[in-house]
PDB file of all heavy atoms in Angstrom:
ATOM      1  N   ASP A  27       0.809  -1.217  -0.024  1.00 96.00           N
ATOM      2  CA  ASP A  27       0.005  -0.007  -0.016  1.00 96.00           C
ATOM      3  C   ASP A  27       0.891   1.267   0.003  1.00 96.00           C
ATOM      4  O   ASP A  27       0.559   2.217  -0.699  1.00 96.00           O
ATOM      5  CB  ASP A  27      -0.934   0.030   1.186  1.00 96.00           C
ATOM      6  CG  ASP A  27      -2.031  -1.048   1.137  1.00 96.00           C
ATOM      7  OD1 ASP A  27      -2.239  -1.571  -0.010  1.00 96.00           O
ATOM      8  OD2 ASP A  27      -2.633  -1.326   2.174  1.00 96.00           O
ATOM      9  N   LEU A  28       1.955   1.207   0.783  1.00 95.00           N
ATOM     10  CA  LEU A  28       2.925   2.362   0.871  1.00 95.00           C
ATOM     11  C   LEU A  28       3.510   2.569  -0.540  1.00 95.00           C
ATOM     12  O   LEU A  28       3.641   3.702  -0.992  1.00 95.00           O
ATOM     13  CB  LEU A  28       4.011   2.104   1.874  1.00 95.00           C
ATOM     14  CG  LEU A  28       3.640   2.219   3.294  1.00 95.00           C
ATOM     15  CD1 LEU A  28       4.830   1.789   4.179  1.00 95.00           C
ATOM     16  CD2 LEU A  28       3.213   3.637   3.660  1.00 95.00           C
ATOM     17  N   LYS A  29       3.814   1.492  -1.230  1.00 95.00           N
ATOM     18  CA  LYS A  29       4.446   1.537  -2.579  1.00 95.00           C
ATOM     19  C   LYS A  29       3.492   2.170  -3.517  1.00 95.00           C
ATOM     20  O   LYS A  29       3.850   2.968  -4.393  1.00 95.00           O
ATOM     21  CB  LYS A  29       4.880   0.168  -3.006  1.00 95.00           C
ATOM     22  CG  LYS A  29       5.469   0.089  -4.427  1.00 95.00           C
ATOM     23  CD  LYS A  29       6.821   0.818  -4.510  1.00 95.00           C
ATOM     24  CE  LYS A  29       7.503   0.545  -5.824  1.00 95.00           C
ATOM     25  NZ  LYS A  29       7.284   1.597  -6.812  1.00 95.00           N
ATOM     26  N   GLU A  30       2.151   1.796  -3.465  1.00 96.00           N
ATOM     27  CA  GLU A  30       1.175   2.326  -4.368  1.00 96.00           C
ATOM     28  C   GLU A  30       1.043   3.820  -4.093  1.00 96.00           C
ATOM     29  O   GLU A  30       0.932   4.611  -5.047  1.00 96.00           O
ATOM     30  CB  GLU A  30      -0.190   1.625  -4.164  1.00 96.00           C
ATOM     31  CG  GLU A  30      -0.215   0.235  -4.749  1.00 96.00           C
ATOM     32  CD  GLU A  30      -1.526  -0.520  -4.385  1.00 96.00           C
ATOM     33  OE1 GLU A  30      -2.533   0.130  -3.979  1.00 96.00           O
ATOM     34  OE2 GLU A  30      -1.505  -1.765  -4.546  1.00 96.00           O
ATOM     35  N   ASN A  31       1.036   4.227  -2.815  1.00 97.00           N
ATOM     36  CA  ASN A  31       0.985   5.679  -2.498  1.00 97.00           C
ATOM     37  C   ASN A  31       2.232   6.370  -3.031  1.00 97.00           C
ATOM     38  O   ASN A  31       2.139   7.455  -3.579  1.00 97.00           O
ATOM     39  CB  ASN A  31       0.939   5.809  -0.952  1.00 97.00           C
ATOM     40  CG  ASN A  31       0.855   7.236  -0.524  1.00 97.00           C
ATOM     41  OD1 ASN A  31       1.853   7.972  -0.549  1.00 97.00           O
ATOM     42  ND2 ASN A  31      -0.334   7.667  -0.101  1.00 97.00           N
ATOM     43  N   LEU A  32       3.399   5.710  -2.942  1.00 96.00           N
ATOM     44  CA  LEU A  32       4.639   6.283  -3.436  1.00 96.00           C
ATOM     45  C   LEU A  32       4.546   6.471  -4.945  1.00 96.00           C
ATOM     46  O   LEU A  32       4.981   7.488  -5.524  1.00 96.00           O
ATOM     47  CB  LEU A  32       5.845   5.419  -3.050  1.00 96.00           C
ATOM     48  CG  LEU A  32       7.177   5.964  -3.382  1.00 96.00           C
ATOM     49  CD1 LEU A  32       7.547   7.123  -2.472  1.00 96.00           C
ATOM     50  CD2 LEU A  32       8.245   4.880  -3.225  1.00 96.00           C
ATOM     51  N   ASP A  33       3.954   5.475  -5.640  1.00 95.00           N
ATOM     52  CA  ASP A  33       3.816   5.583  -7.095  1.00 95.00           C
ATOM     53  C   ASP A  33       2.970   6.762  -7.456  1.00 95.00           C
ATOM     54  O   ASP A  33       3.239   7.505  -8.424  1.00 95.00           O
ATOM     55  CB  ASP A  33       3.227   4.282  -7.649  1.00 95.00           C
ATOM     56  CG  ASP A  33       4.217   3.150  -7.587  1.00 95.00           C
ATOM     57  OD1 ASP A  33       5.461   3.365  -7.364  1.00 95.00           O
ATOM     58  OD2 ASP A  33       3.758   1.971  -7.662  1.00 95.00           O
ATOM     59  N   ARG A  34       1.867   7.000  -6.690  1.00 96.00           N
ATOM     60  CA  ARG A  34       1.015   8.184  -6.952  1.00 96.00           C
ATOM     61  C   ARG A  34       1.794   9.454  -6.777  1.00 96.00           C
ATOM     62  O   ARG A  34       1.676  10.418  -7.511  1.00 96.00           O
ATOM     63  CB  ARG A  34      -0.230   8.133  -6.012  1.00 96.00           C
ATOM     64  CG  ARG A  34      -1.303   7.165  -6.480  1.00 96.00           C
ATOM     65  CD  ARG A  34      -2.559   7.401  -5.687  1.00 96.00           C
ATOM     66  NE  ARG A  34      -2.500   7.105  -4.266  1.00 96.00           N
ATOM     67  CZ  ARG A  34      -2.572   5.945  -3.747  1.00 96.00           C
ATOM     68  NH1 ARG A  34      -2.785   4.796  -4.527  1.00 96.00           N
ATOM     69  NH2 ARG A  34      -2.463   5.743  -2.443  1.00 96.00           N
ATOM     70  N   ARG A  35       2.600   9.469  -5.670  1.00 96.00           N
ATOM     71  CA  ARG A  35       3.401  10.689  -5.359  1.00 96.00           C
ATOM     72  C   ARG A  35       4.455  10.894  -6.466  1.00 96.00           C
ATOM     73  O   ARG A  35       4.814  12.084  -6.775  1.00 96.00           O
ATOM     74  CB  ARG A  35       4.078  10.550  -4.051  1.00 96.00           C
ATOM     75  CG  ARG A  35       3.120  10.643  -2.866  1.00 96.00           C
ATOM     76  CD  ARG A  35       3.722  10.397  -1.543  1.00 96.00           C
ATOM     77  NE  ARG A  35       4.961  11.042  -1.275  1.00 96.00           N
ATOM     78  CZ  ARG A  35       5.923  10.606  -0.506  1.00 96.00           C
ATOM     79  NH1 ARG A  35       5.722   9.490   0.169  1.00 96.00           N
ATOM     80  NH2 ARG A  35       7.012  11.275  -0.279  1.00 96.00           N
ATOM     81  N   GLU A  36       4.980   9.805  -7.052  1.00 96.00           N
ATOM     82  CA  GLU A  36       5.934   9.957  -8.123  1.00 96.00           C
ATOM     83  C   GLU A  36       5.282  10.626  -9.331  1.00 96.00           C
ATOM     84  O   GLU A  36       5.918  11.466  -9.981  1.00 96.00           O
ATOM     85  CB  GLU A  36       6.517   8.564  -8.514  1.00 96.00           C
ATOM     86  CG  GLU A  36       7.749   8.664  -9.361  1.00 96.00           C
ATOM     87  CD  GLU A  36       7.573   8.975 -10.801  1.00 96.00           C
ATOM     88  OE1 GLU A  36       6.540   8.592 -11.400  1.00 96.00           O
ATOM     89  OE2 GLU A  36       8.455   9.626 -11.380  1.00 96.00           O
ATOM     90  N   ARG A  37       4.067  10.270  -9.613  1.00 96.00           N
ATOM     91  CA  ARG A  37       3.392  10.892 -10.711  1.00 96.00           C
ATOM     92  C   ARG A  37       3.167  12.400 -10.450  1.00 96.00           C
ATOM     93  O   ARG A  37       3.286  13.230 -11.394  1.00 96.00           O
ATOM     94  CB  ARG A  37       1.998  10.200 -11.021  1.00 96.00           C
ATOM     95  CG  ARG A  37       2.229   8.805 -11.612  1.00 96.00           C
ATOM     96  CD  ARG A  37       0.914   8.182 -12.060  1.00 96.00           C
ATOM     97  NE  ARG A  37      -0.006   7.854 -11.003  1.00 96.00           N
ATOM     98  CZ  ARG A  37       0.052   6.707 -10.330  1.00 96.00           C
ATOM     99  NH1 ARG A  37       0.974   5.789 -10.594  1.00 96.00           N
ATOM    100  NH2 ARG A  37      -0.851   6.426  -9.334  1.00 96.00           N
ATOM    101  N   VAL A  38       2.840  12.753  -9.200  1.00 96.00           N
ATOM    102  CA  VAL A  38       2.683  14.141  -8.880  1.00 96.00           C
ATOM    103  C   VAL A  38       4.028  14.889  -9.026  1.00 96.00           C
ATOM    104  O   VAL A  38       4.109  15.977  -9.661  1.00 96.00           O
ATOM    105  CB  VAL A  38       2.211  14.317  -7.376  1.00 96.00           C
ATOM    106  CG1 VAL A  38       2.258  15.780  -6.960  1.00 96.00           C
ATOM    107  CG2 VAL A  38       0.736  13.839  -7.311  1.00 96.00           C
ATOM    108  N   VAL A  39       5.103  14.272  -8.466  1.00 97.00           N
ATOM    109  CA  VAL A  39       6.443  14.912  -8.635  1.00 97.00           C
ATOM    110  C   VAL A  39       6.848  15.030 -10.076  1.00 97.00           C
ATOM    111  O   VAL A  39       7.372  16.094 -10.504  1.00 97.00           O
ATOM    112  CB  VAL A  39       7.506  14.087  -7.836  1.00 97.00           C
ATOM    113  CG1 VAL A  39       8.928  14.550  -8.170  1.00 97.00           C
ATOM    114  CG2 VAL A  39       7.238  14.289  -6.260  1.00 97.00           C
ATOM    115  N   SER A  40       6.530  13.986 -10.846  1.00 96.00           N
ATOM    116  CA  SER A  40       6.862  14.094 -12.349  1.00 96.00           C
ATOM    117  C   SER A  40       6.098  15.223 -12.961  1.00 96.00           C
ATOM    118  O   SER A  40       6.705  15.914 -13.839  1.00 96.00           O
ATOM    119  CB  SER A  40       6.463  12.762 -12.994  1.00 96.00           C
ATOM    120  OG  SER A  40       7.511  12.127 -13.509  1.00 96.00           O
ATOM    121  N   GLY A  41       4.892  15.375 -12.561  1.00 96.00           N
ATOM    122  CA  GLY A  41       4.082  16.492 -13.134  1.00 96.00           C
ATOM    123  C   GLY A  41       4.668  17.834 -12.783  1.00 96.00           C
ATOM    124  O   GLY A  41       4.733  18.737 -13.633  1.00 96.00           O
ATOM    125  N   ILE A  42       5.149  17.995 -11.580  1.00 97.00           N
ATOM    126  CA  ILE A  42       5.757  19.253 -11.081  1.00 97.00           C
ATOM    127  C   ILE A  42       7.055  19.466 -11.882  1.00 97.00           C
ATOM    128  O   ILE A  42       7.245  20.576 -12.420  1.00 97.00           O
ATOM    129  CB  ILE A  42       6.071  19.175  -9.621  1.00 97.00           C
ATOM    130  CG1 ILE A  42       4.793  19.214  -8.781  1.00 97.00           C
ATOM    131  CG2 ILE A  42       7.015  20.328  -9.189  1.00 97.00           C
ATOM    132  CD1 ILE A  42       4.950  18.879  -7.314  1.00 97.00           C
ATOM    133  N   LEU A  43       7.845  18.402 -11.970  1.00 97.00           N
ATOM    134  CA  LEU A  43       9.134  18.598 -12.700  1.00 97.00           C
ATOM    135  C   LEU A  43       8.940  18.863 -14.196  1.00 97.00           C
ATOM    136  O   LEU A  43       9.739  19.569 -14.845  1.00 97.00           O
ATOM    137  CB  LEU A  43      10.029  17.379 -12.490  1.00 97.00           C
ATOM    138  CG  LEU A  43      10.465  17.095 -11.052  1.00 97.00           C
ATOM    139  CD1 LEU A  43      11.316  15.850 -10.979  1.00 97.00           C
ATOM    140  CD2 LEU A  43      11.225  18.278 -10.478  1.00 97.00           C
ATOM    141  N   ALA A  44       7.892  18.363 -14.793  1.00 97.00           N
ATOM    142  CA  ALA A  44       7.617  18.534 -16.208  1.00 97.00           C
ATOM    143  C   ALA A  44       7.387  20.044 -16.520  1.00 97.00           C
ATOM    144  O   ALA A  44       7.642  20.469 -17.647  1.00 97.00           O
ATOM    145  CB  ALA A  44       6.428  17.717 -16.601  1.00 97.00           C
ATOM    146  N   LYS A  45       6.954  20.799 -15.558  1.00 96.00           N
ATOM    147  CA  LYS A  45       6.705  22.237 -15.734  1.00 96.00           C
ATOM    148  C   LYS A  45       8.077  22.984 -15.824  1.00 96.00           C
ATOM    149  O   LYS A  45       8.138  24.048 -16.458  1.00 96.00           O
ATOM    150  CB  LYS A  45       5.954  22.840 -14.566  1.00 96.00           C
ATOM    151  CG  LYS A  45       4.520  22.322 -14.471  1.00 96.00           C
ATOM    152  CD  LYS A  45       3.701  23.121 -13.437  1.00 96.00           C
ATOM    153  CE  LYS A  45       4.311  23.010 -12.056  1.00 96.00           C
ATOM    154  NZ  LYS A  45       3.459  23.593 -10.984  1.00 96.00           N
ATOM    155  N   TYR A  46       9.146  22.457 -15.235  1.00 96.00           N
ATOM    156  CA  TYR A  46      10.423  23.237 -15.138  1.00 96.00           C
ATOM    157  C   TYR A  46      11.575  22.597 -15.898  1.00 96.00           C
ATOM    158  O   TYR A  46      12.464  23.360 -16.302  1.00 96.00           O
ATOM    159  CB  TYR A  46      10.848  23.273 -13.665  1.00 96.00           C
ATOM    160  CG  TYR A  46       9.867  23.929 -12.724  1.00 96.00           C
ATOM    161  CD1 TYR A  46       9.025  23.176 -11.910  1.00 96.00           C
ATOM    162  CD2 TYR A  46       9.724  25.312 -12.714  1.00 96.00           C
ATOM    163  CE1 TYR A  46       8.083  23.832 -11.047  1.00 96.00           C
ATOM    164  CE2 TYR A  46       8.798  25.953 -11.880  1.00 96.00           C
ATOM    165  CZ  TYR A  46       8.019  25.213 -11.034  1.00 96.00           C
ATOM    166  OH  TYR A  46       7.077  25.814 -10.208  1.00 96.00           O
ATOM    167  N   LEU A  47      11.580  21.310 -16.084  1.00 96.00           N
ATOM    168  CA  LEU A  47      12.769  20.663 -16.682  1.00 96.00           C
ATOM    169  C   LEU A  47      12.579  20.489 -18.205  1.00 96.00           C
ATOM    170  O   LEU A  47      11.462  20.396 -18.706  1.00 96.00           O
ATOM    171  CB  LEU A  47      12.995  19.338 -16.033  1.00 96.00           C
ATOM    172  CG  LEU A  47      13.187  19.247 -14.521  1.00 96.00           C
ATOM    173  CD1 LEU A  47      13.428  17.848 -14.074  1.00 96.00           C
ATOM    174  CD2 LEU A  47      14.407  20.119 -14.119  1.00 96.00           C
ATOM    175  N   THR A  48      13.706  20.427 -18.890  1.00 96.00           N
ATOM    176  CA  THR A  48      13.679  20.133 -20.343  1.00 96.00           C
ATOM    177  C   THR A  48      13.291  18.627 -20.424  1.00 96.00           C
ATOM    178  O   THR A  48      13.363  17.859 -19.482  1.00 96.00           O
ATOM    179  CB  THR A  48      15.060  20.330 -20.943  1.00 96.00           C
ATOM    180  OG1 THR A  48      15.983  19.399 -20.371  1.00 96.00           O
ATOM    181  CG2 THR A  48      15.568  21.735 -20.737  1.00 96.00           C
ATOM    182  N   ASP A  49      12.975  18.237 -21.650  1.00 96.00           N
ATOM    183  CA  ASP A  49      12.668  16.808 -21.863  1.00 96.00           C
ATOM    184  C   ASP A  49      13.779  15.936 -21.499  1.00 96.00           C
ATOM    185  O   ASP A  49      13.582  14.842 -20.905  1.00 96.00           O
ATOM    186  CB  ASP A  49      12.288  16.594 -23.359  1.00 96.00           C
ATOM    187  CG  ASP A  49      10.895  17.086 -23.708  1.00 96.00           C
ATOM    188  OD1 ASP A  49      10.126  17.353 -22.771  1.00 96.00           O
ATOM    189  OD2 ASP A  49      10.626  17.291 -24.912  1.00 96.00           O
ATOM    190  N   GLN A  50      15.011  16.313 -21.811  1.00 95.00           N
ATOM    191  CA  GLN A  50      16.235  15.560 -21.493  1.00 95.00           C
ATOM    192  C   GLN A  50      16.362  15.459 -19.965  1.00 95.00           C
ATOM    193  O   GLN A  50      16.697  14.389 -19.470  1.00 95.00           O
ATOM    194  CB  GLN A  50      17.519  16.192 -22.120  1.00 95.00           C
ATOM    195  CG  GLN A  50      18.749  15.373 -21.828  1.00 95.00           C
ATOM    196  CD  GLN A  50      18.660  13.989 -22.369  1.00 95.00           C
ATOM    197  OE1 GLN A  50      18.340  13.741 -23.540  1.00 95.00           O
ATOM    198  NE2 GLN A  50      19.002  12.994 -21.518  1.00 95.00           N
ATOM    199  N   GLN A  51      16.185  16.533 -19.258  1.00 95.00           N
ATOM    200  CA  GLN A  51      16.323  16.576 -17.830  1.00 95.00           C
ATOM    201  C   GLN A  51      15.248  15.673 -17.168  1.00 95.00           C
ATOM    202  O   GLN A  51      15.523  14.963 -16.205  1.00 95.00           O
ATOM    203  CB  GLN A  51      16.191  17.970 -17.227  1.00 95.00           C
ATOM    204  CG  GLN A  51      17.462  18.845 -17.558  1.00 95.00           C
ATOM    205  CD  GLN A  51      17.190  20.290 -17.167  1.00 95.00           C
ATOM    206  OE1 GLN A  51      16.076  20.807 -17.326  1.00 95.00           O
ATOM    207  NE2 GLN A  51      18.197  20.952 -16.665  1.00 95.00           N
ATOM    208  N   LEU A  52      14.057  15.752 -17.773  1.00 96.00           N
ATOM    209  CA  LEU A  52      12.959  14.889 -17.227  1.00 96.00           C
ATOM    210  C   LEU A  52      13.288  13.382 -17.511  1.00 96.00           C
ATOM    211  O   LEU A  52      13.036  12.565 -16.597  1.00 96.00           O
ATOM    212  CB  LEU A  52      11.646  15.291 -17.940  1.00 96.00           C
ATOM    213  CG  LEU A  52      10.378  14.882 -17.226  1.00 96.00           C
ATOM    214  CD1 LEU A  52      10.302  15.363 -15.770  1.00 96.00           C
ATOM    215  CD2 LEU A  52       9.190  15.423 -17.978  1.00 96.00           C
ATOM    216  N   GLN A  53      13.847  13.091 -18.622  1.00 96.00           N
ATOM    217  CA  GLN A  53      14.273  11.748 -18.887  1.00 96.00           C
ATOM    218  C   GLN A  53      15.345  11.281 -17.910  1.00 96.00           C
ATOM    219  O   GLN A  53      15.339  10.169 -17.439  1.00 96.00           O
ATOM    220  CB  GLN A  53      14.840  11.655 -20.312  1.00 96.00           C
ATOM    221  CG  GLN A  53      14.011  10.929 -21.280  1.00 96.00           C
ATOM    222  CD  GLN A  53      14.704  10.792 -22.676  1.00 96.00           C
ATOM    223  OE1 GLN A  53      15.488  11.645 -23.077  1.00 96.00           O
ATOM    224  NE2 GLN A  53      14.356   9.713 -23.338  1.00 96.00           N
ATOM    225  N   ASP A  54      16.244  12.166 -17.608  1.00 95.00           N
ATOM    226  CA  ASP A  54      17.350  11.903 -16.643  1.00 95.00           C
ATOM    227  C   ASP A  54      16.806  11.604 -15.286  1.00 95.00           C
ATOM    228  O   ASP A  54      17.204  10.708 -14.578  1.00 95.00           O
ATOM    229  CB  ASP A  54      18.382  13.095 -16.582  1.00 95.00           C
ATOM    230  CG  ASP A  54      19.196  13.234 -17.794  1.00 95.00           C
ATOM    231  OD1 ASP A  54      19.224  12.279 -18.644  1.00 95.00           O
ATOM    232  OD2 ASP A  54      19.839  14.298 -17.978  1.00 95.00           O
ATOM    233  N   TYR A  55      15.777  12.353 -14.915  1.00 96.00           N
ATOM    234  CA  TYR A  55      15.111  12.147 -13.591  1.00 96.00           C
ATOM    235  C   TYR A  55      14.460  10.769 -13.555  1.00 96.00           C
ATOM    236  O   TYR A  55      14.648  10.018 -12.658  1.00 96.00           O
ATOM    237  CB  TYR A  55      14.046  13.237 -13.335  1.00 96.00           C
ATOM    238  CG  TYR A  55      12.924  12.824 -12.430  1.00 96.00           C
ATOM    239  CD1 TYR A  55      13.171  12.707 -11.046  1.00 96.00           C
ATOM    240  CD2 TYR A  55      11.711  12.491 -12.861  1.00 96.00           C
ATOM    241  CE1 TYR A  55      12.197  12.273 -10.182  1.00 96.00           C
ATOM    242  CE2 TYR A  55      10.674  12.074 -12.041  1.00 96.00           C
ATOM    243  CZ  TYR A  55      10.942  11.966 -10.696  1.00 96.00           C
ATOM    244  OH  TYR A  55       9.969  11.542  -9.833  1.00 96.00           O
ATOM    245  N   ARG A  56      13.714  10.431 -14.606  1.00 96.00           N
ATOM    246  CA  ARG A  56      13.023   9.137 -14.644  1.00 96.00           C
ATOM    247  C   ARG A  56      14.068   7.982 -14.667  1.00 96.00           C
ATOM    248  O   ARG A  56      13.822   6.935 -13.989  1.00 96.00           O
ATOM    249  CB  ARG A  56      12.111   9.067 -15.885  1.00 96.00           C
ATOM    250  CG  ARG A  56      10.887   9.972 -15.738  1.00 96.00           C
ATOM    251  CD  ARG A  56       9.915   9.800 -16.815  1.00 96.00           C
ATOM    252  NE  ARG A  56       8.737  10.630 -16.507  1.00 96.00           N
ATOM    253  CZ  ARG A  56       8.311  11.575 -17.358  1.00 96.00           C
ATOM    254  NH1 ARG A  56       8.928  11.829 -18.490  1.00 96.00           N
ATOM    255  NH2 ARG A  56       7.261  12.316 -17.027  1.00 96.00           N
ATOM    256  N   ARG A  57      15.189   8.160 -15.427  1.00 96.00           N
ATOM    257  CA  ARG A  57      16.168   7.101 -15.447  1.00 96.00           C
ATOM    258  C   ARG A  57      16.832   7.016 -14.048  1.00 96.00           C
ATOM    259  O   ARG A  57      17.098   5.906 -13.575  1.00 96.00           O
ATOM    260  CB  ARG A  57      17.242   7.464 -16.523  1.00 96.00           C
ATOM    261  CG  ARG A  57      18.202   6.321 -16.777  1.00 96.00           C
ATOM    262  CD  ARG A  57      19.151   6.539 -17.969  1.00 96.00           C
ATOM    263  NE  ARG A  57      19.462   7.914 -18.316  1.00 96.00           N
ATOM    264  CZ  ARG A  57      18.939   8.550 -19.368  1.00 96.00           C
ATOM    265  NH1 ARG A  57      18.076   8.030 -20.114  1.00 96.00           N
ATOM    266  NH2 ARG A  57      19.338   9.769 -19.633  1.00 96.00           N
ATOM    267  N   PHE A  58      17.036   8.126 -13.384  1.00 97.00           N
ATOM    268  CA  PHE A  58      17.613   8.157 -12.009  1.00 97.00           C
ATOM    269  C   PHE A  58      16.739   7.341 -11.041  1.00 97.00           C
ATOM    270  O   PHE A  58      17.217   6.472 -10.308  1.00 97.00           O
ATOM    271  CB  PHE A  58      17.787   9.532 -11.507  1.00 97.00           C
ATOM    272  CG  PHE A  58      18.065   9.666 -10.020  1.00 97.00           C
ATOM    273  CD1 PHE A  58      19.285   9.233  -9.525  1.00 97.00           C
ATOM    274  CD2 PHE A  58      17.077  10.149  -9.163  1.00 97.00           C
ATOM    275  CE1 PHE A  58      19.519   9.292  -8.145  1.00 97.00           C
ATOM    276  CE2 PHE A  58      17.293  10.187  -7.862  1.00 97.00           C
ATOM    277  CZ  PHE A  58      18.540   9.799  -7.303  1.00 97.00           C
ATOM    278  N   VAL A  59      15.430   7.610 -11.068  1.00 96.00           N
ATOM    279  CA  VAL A  59      14.500   6.843 -10.204  1.00 96.00           C
ATOM    280  C   VAL A  59      14.512   5.320 -10.502  1.00 96.00           C
ATOM    281  O   VAL A  59      14.577   4.507  -9.611  1.00 96.00           O
ATOM    282  CB  VAL A  59      13.063   7.394 -10.336  1.00 96.00           C
ATOM    283  CG1 VAL A  59      12.064   6.530  -9.614  1.00 96.00           C
ATOM    284  CG2 VAL A  59      13.022   8.823  -9.741  1.00 96.00           C
ATOM    285  N   GLN A  60      14.518   5.028 -11.799  1.00 96.00           N
ATOM    286  CA  GLN A  60      14.543   3.623 -12.158  1.00 96.00           C
ATOM    287  C   GLN A  60      15.831   2.904 -11.838  1.00 96.00           C
ATOM    288  O   GLN A  60      15.793   1.867 -11.228  1.00 96.00           O
ATOM    289  CB  GLN A  60      14.299   3.549 -13.720  1.00 96.00           C
ATOM    290  CG  GLN A  60      14.201   2.140 -14.267  1.00 96.00           C
ATOM    291  CD  GLN A  60      13.920   2.167 -15.768  1.00 96.00           C
ATOM    292  OE1 GLN A  60      14.258   3.122 -16.456  1.00 96.00           O
ATOM    293  NE2 GLN A  60      13.391   1.085 -16.261  1.00 96.00           N
ATOM    294  N   VAL A  61      16.959   3.580 -12.026  1.00 96.00           N
ATOM    295  CA  VAL A  61      18.277   3.007 -11.708  1.00 96.00           C
ATOM    296  C   VAL A  61      18.359   2.865 -10.178  1.00 96.00           C
ATOM    297  O   VAL A  61      18.862   1.846  -9.711  1.00 96.00           O
ATOM    298  CB  VAL A  61      19.399   3.837 -12.325  1.00 96.00           C
ATOM    299  CG1 VAL A  61      20.756   3.385 -11.759  1.00 96.00           C
ATOM    300  CG2 VAL A  61      19.369   3.681 -13.841  1.00 96.00           C
ATOM    301  N   LYS A  62      17.961   3.862  -9.462  1.00 95.00           N
ATOM    302  CA  LYS A  62      18.077   3.843  -8.003  1.00 95.00           C
ATOM    303  C   LYS A  62      17.280   2.642  -7.494  1.00 95.00           C
ATOM    304  O   LYS A  62      17.761   1.872  -6.627  1.00 95.00           O
ATOM    305  CB  LYS A  62      17.529   5.118  -7.424  1.00 95.00           C
ATOM    306  CG  LYS A  62      17.682   5.211  -5.899  1.00 95.00           C
ATOM    307  CD  LYS A  62      17.241   6.621  -5.462  1.00 95.00           C
ATOM    308  CE  LYS A  62      17.374   6.806  -3.932  1.00 95.00           C
ATOM    309  NZ  LYS A  62      18.761   6.874  -3.515  1.00 95.00           N
ATOM    310  N   THR A  63      16.092   2.416  -7.959  1.00 94.00           N
ATOM    311  CA  THR A  63      15.275   1.308  -7.550  1.00 94.00           C
ATOM    312  C   THR A  63      15.909  -0.044  -7.919  1.00 94.00           C
ATOM    313  O   THR A  63      15.991  -0.944  -7.055  1.00 94.00           O
ATOM    314  CB  THR A  63      13.833   1.392  -8.188  1.00 94.00           C
ATOM    315  OG1 THR A  63      13.265   2.647  -7.838  1.00 94.00           O
ATOM    316  CG2 THR A  63      12.949   0.261  -7.694  1.00 94.00           C
ATOM    317  N   SER A  64      16.362  -0.187  -9.164  1.00 95.00           N
ATOM    318  CA  SER A  64      16.964  -1.454  -9.589  1.00 95.00           C
ATOM    319  C   SER A  64      18.278  -1.741  -8.800  1.00 95.00           C
ATOM    320  O   SER A  64      18.546  -2.896  -8.522  1.00 95.00           O
ATOM    321  CB  SER A  64      17.155  -1.505 -11.109  1.00 95.00           C
ATOM    322  OG  SER A  64      18.108  -0.569 -11.500  1.00 95.00           O
TER     323      SER A  64
END
């Protein structure tokens, strides 16, 4: 349940970052989250 909540929060954070970051920076952020988890 905590992980599902975290996934929702990730979508919110992604939405926030999408307003400020370039597409490349946003890709870097998503890759960072994915690599950190793996």
Side-chain angles (χ1 to χ4, degrees):
D27 291 343
L28 287 174
K29 176 70 170 97
E30 287 173 16
N31 181 284
L32 186 70
D33 291 343
R34 283 192 295 277
R35 288 174 48 209
E36 196 281 328
R37 289 189 291 276
V38 170
V39 168
S40 242
I42 291 169
L43 296 180
K45 295 188 301 189
Y46 300 102
L47 301 180
T48 65
D49 286 343
Q50 182 60 50
Q51 289 171 321
L52 200 54
Q53 252 184 329
D54 290 345
Y55 156 73
R56 290 189 176 119
R57 190 171 30 256
F58 166 72
V59 169
Q60 186 179 21
V61 168
K62 184 174 182 70
T63 303
S64 65

